[in-house]
Amino acid sequence: MTILYLIRHGETGGNFEGRFQGVIDNPLNLSGIRQAQMLGMAFSSSKIDVLYTSPLTRARQTAENIASMHGMEKLTPIKEPGLIELNGGLLEGRRFSRLAIEYPEVIEAMHSHPATLECPGGESMRDVSDRIVKTINRLAEKNRGKVILAVSHGIAISAYIHAVSGKPFEDMPNCMVANASVSKFIFNDDMTVRMEYADDCRHMEQGTYLTTRGFEQEECPNPDPYAIENTI
C-alpha cells in the first residue's frame, strides 16, 4: 500500500487580494507562513518517506516548514515541476473583478463549466488535469509502499480529486480545496487509487494529525459556487 498526502500551499498576498495567480511566483504572506507552520506541527510525528513540492515559492516554503518541523528524520523537499499550478496566461496577476469584465466567457466557464476552461495564452483545465494525474501516478509508482507528501496548488489538486472520483471529466464541479488543506489517497498494490478524504483543515485548530476522518466523494470539498475565484 502506498499513501499520498496531497497538500495545498499556504495563503499568499494574491489569494488574499482575489487575484488569479497561476504560475506567478508569489511567496506566502504572514497568514500563509502560520498555516505552513501548523502543517509542520501536524505532520511532526507522522511517518513520511519522501516530500515533493511544486517549484513555485509558495509551495516550496510550505514544504520547507513541514520538513523543518518533522521530528522523525531529516526530510529534504524535492522539486517536481509536474505539481505546478495551471498556467493562467494573460489572466495572471489580475483581480477577478477585472477579469469578469475583460474575459467574461473565460470567467463564466470557470464558474459554470470548469472542464471547458481554457486560459488565453496559458493552459486548459484538461491540460492541468492530464499533467497532475500523470505526475502523481509516476511518483506513486516510483515510491511504492511509501508515505508520500506532495505540496501543490488549488486547481491542480481539485482536478486530481475529480479524476480519482471516476466521474466523467466533463462533469467537473466548481470546487476548490482550501489553503494548507490536506487530501489523502491510498494506492493499492496494483496502483489503483482511492481517496480517503479531501480538504481536511483540522490541523488549523488542533496542530496535530493523530486521526483522520472520512470524506464523501459525492460531496463538494468547498460548496461556495465562487470557490475557484475566491481561492485560486
Side-chain angles (χ1 to χ4, degrees):
M1 181 176 69
T2 304
I3 297 174
L4 169 69
Y5 291 98
L6 195 51
I7 299 168
R8 188 184 177 196
H9 62 81
E11 185 184 80
T12 69
N15 293 142
F16 183 77
E17 295 170 2
R19 296 181 184 274
F20 195 121
Q21 286 188 112
V23 297
I24 288 179
D25 203 12
N26 289 330
L28 299 177
N29 62 14
L30 290 178
S31 294
I33 291 172
R34 179 57 181 153
Q35 290 171 343
Q37 291 171 340
M38 284 189 281
L39 278 166
M41 288 187 287
F43 283 105
S44 61
S45 60
S46 300
K47 181 182 186 295
I48 304 172
D49 294 306
V50 61
L51 173 59
Y52 290 98
T53 179
S54 155
L56 295 180
T57 298
R58 57 191 184 270
R60 179 176 50 79
Q61 288 178 312
T62 302
E64 288 172 349
N65 272 277
I66 295 172
S68 68
M69 295 187 182
H70 190 250
M72 294 181 66
E73 59 185 48
K74 176 68 175 178
L75 279 177
T76 301
I78 302 169
K79 292 182 182 180
E80 171 49 63
L83 295 172
I84 205 167
E85 181 59 296
L86 173 144
N87 186 329
L90 299 179
L91 308 181
E92 296 200 347
R94 313 290 298 282
R95 291 184 184 271
F96 281 96
S97 57
R98 292 299 306 171
L99 292 176
I101 297 171
E102 298 177 19
Y103 297 94
E105 297 87 357
V106 177
I107 299 305
E108 173 61 23
M110 185 180 295
H111 289 167
S112 302
H113 305 285
T116 67
L117 176 64
E118 294 190 14
C119 298
E123 289 183 296
S124 68
M125 186 65 79
R126 172 67 79 175
D127 291 334
V128 74
S129 179
D130 290 347
R131 169 167 54 78
I132 194 69
V133 170
K134 181 178 179 181
T135 297
I136 289 177
N137 285 346
R138 173 169 52 81
L139 296 181
E141 179 66 37
K142 182 178 180 180
N143 295 280
R144 280 177 173 262
K146 295 182 179 180
V147 177
I148 308 164
L149 262 66
V151 183
S152 187
H153 303 266
I155 287 182
I157 294 172
S158 298
Y160 185 71
I161 289 172
H162 181 67
V164 171
S165 76
K167 297 177 183 177
F169 175 77
E170 293 72 19
D171 293 343
M172 180 181 292
N174 179 10
C175 296
M176 176 70 74
V177 295
N179 286 113
S181 64
V182 180
S183 301
K184 183 179 180 181
F185 303 87
I186 306 295
F187 291 81
N188 295 325
D189 292 341
D190 61 359
M191 288 288 103
T192 57
V193 59
R194 63 179 175 85
M195 183 173 70
E196 185 165 317
Y197 57 79
D199 202 24
D200 196 326
C201 295
R202 288 174 299 114
H203 51 286
M204 295 305 219
E205 298 177 357
Q206 299 178 3
T208 57
Y209 227 74
L210 302 178
T211 60
T212 60
R213 62 173 172 77
F215 183 86
E216 297 298 326
Q217 293 190 23
E218 296 297 325
E219 182 179 332
C220 176
N222 188 335
D224 180 358
Y226 296 98
I228 290 181
E229 174 176 332
N230 291 341
T231 60
I232 190 172

